[in-house]
Amino acid sequence: MGQLLAMAEPAERMTGVTRRSYLKGQVIFSSGEICDRVYYVSRGVVKLSFVREDGTEKIVTHLGPGSILGESGVFCGKPESVTATAAWPVDIIVLTRSDLDRLVGTDPDFSLQLMSSLSRKIDLITSELECTCLRSAGGRIAYALHQLGISYGIDLSEGRMIEYRVTHEELARMAGTCRVTVTNVLAGLRRQGIIDQRRAAIVIKDRERLISWAT
């Protein structure tokens, strides 16, 4: 995460760029749109998902500060394949192609950091697709918890607490299953002492056993 945050610093220092804020649940862009600018997440968490015509949703991944969005339109002229929604209140720095050219020209490290961000995004999406195709429902749920713990966890004496307050419904959309299955799997993980719950927060108490569940 540190490298991604470092990437956002040159953009934060730029003058004349557009800055936007989104409340939880607001759509940043929708699947099928061709973005003519890229979006840097400077604060908050963005959810990327596939939304079907009937309104059902499959969450692909969550991206935090320093991540880049909307690059398909700017770099390739192609429509976005996913919908980006604010999962938490989000602050965005909006950069046009000319803004990107300025950053690349004035900060030699920016190009490498940009590629690092894009590679990380590809890795996340690839891992999510592999998980959906090859793992059981319980394994997909455990994997989702493990990834949330890596990205949004804070260490406590009793384990790693996921700061992102994910609901059973969101976990179901991440794992490609139903809410009832999520509830049953979480109950099983609690009985085995692998996780605990503090109101809406999930605490991972035994990371190694959670990974075993996910494989």
Side-chain angles (χ1 to χ4, degrees):
M1 185 69 76
Q3 186 180 30
L4 296 176
L5 289 171
M7 184 189 68
E9 289 176 1
E12 292 277 9
R13 295 194 298 266
M14 286 189 70
T15 59
V17 296
T18 301
R19 300 169 191 270
R20 297 177 183 170
S21 296
Y22 296 84
L23 299 175
K24 180 178 179 179
Q26 285 190 300
V27 173
I28 299 167
F29 58 77
S30 298
S31 172
E33 289 186 27
I34 300 179
C35 297
D36 60 356
R37 59 205 66 205
V38 298
Y39 304 86
Y40 279 119
V41 182
S42 60
R43 182 181 70 93
V45 177
V46 175
K47 174 182 68 177
L48 300 184
S49 61
F50 297 117
V51 181
R52 302 182 181 91
E53 291 184 1
D54 62 3
T56 57
E57 179 185 45
K58 170 64 175 76
I59 297 175
V60 178
T61 193
H62 292 81
L63 298 175
S67 299
I68 183 174
L69 310 168
E71 70 279 3
S72 295
V74 172
F75 296 131
C76 305
K78 294 183 178 181
E80 295 297 325
S81 58
V82 295
T83 294
T85 308
W88 286 356
V90 170
D91 291 334
I92 295 286
I93 301 171
V94 183
L95 299 173
T96 64
R97 183 58 186 263
S98 62
D99 292 329
L100 287 172
D101 291 341
R102 273 198 293 157
L103 280 171
V104 170
T106 57
D107 192 319
D109 293 331
F110 182 78
S111 296
L112 291 175
Q113 294 168 347
L114 178 63
M115 287 188 287
S116 175
S117 174
L118 293 173
S119 295
R120 178 176 177 271
K121 182 178 176 182
I122 292 170
D123 286 344
L124 282 170
I125 292 173
T126 301
S127 295
E128 293 289 343
L129 291 174
E130 181 268 336
C131 177
T132 299
C133 294
L134 300 180
R135 302 182 189 189
S136 66
R140 296 195 300 271
I141 294 165
Y143 176 81
L145 291 175
H146 174 57
Q147 291 299 313
L148 289 170
I150 292 173
S151 299
Y152 310 112
I154 56 173
D155 290 322
L156 304 175
S157 58
E158 62 269 41
R160 190 167 178 84
M161 184 177 75
I162 299 172
E163 281 193 294
Y164 179 67
R165 301 303 175 91
V166 63
T167 66
H168 288 200
E169 185 62 35
E170 284 179 298
L171 271 175
R173 292 197 296 268
M174 291 176 70
T177 186
C178 66
R179 187 176 58 81
V180 172
T181 299
V182 169
T183 300
N184 291 336
V185 170
L186 292 183
L189 292 171
R190 283 198 306 273
R191 284 194 299 270
Q192 295 185 40
I194 297 173
I195 67 168
D196 197 4
Q197 287 188 278
R198 292 183 172 185
R199 297 181 181 177
I202 295 175
V203 178
I204 300 171
K205 300 179 67 177
D206 192 329
R207 177 176 172 273
E208 296 304 320
R209 291 173 67 198
L210 182 66
I211 293 172
S212 295
W213 260 71
T215 56

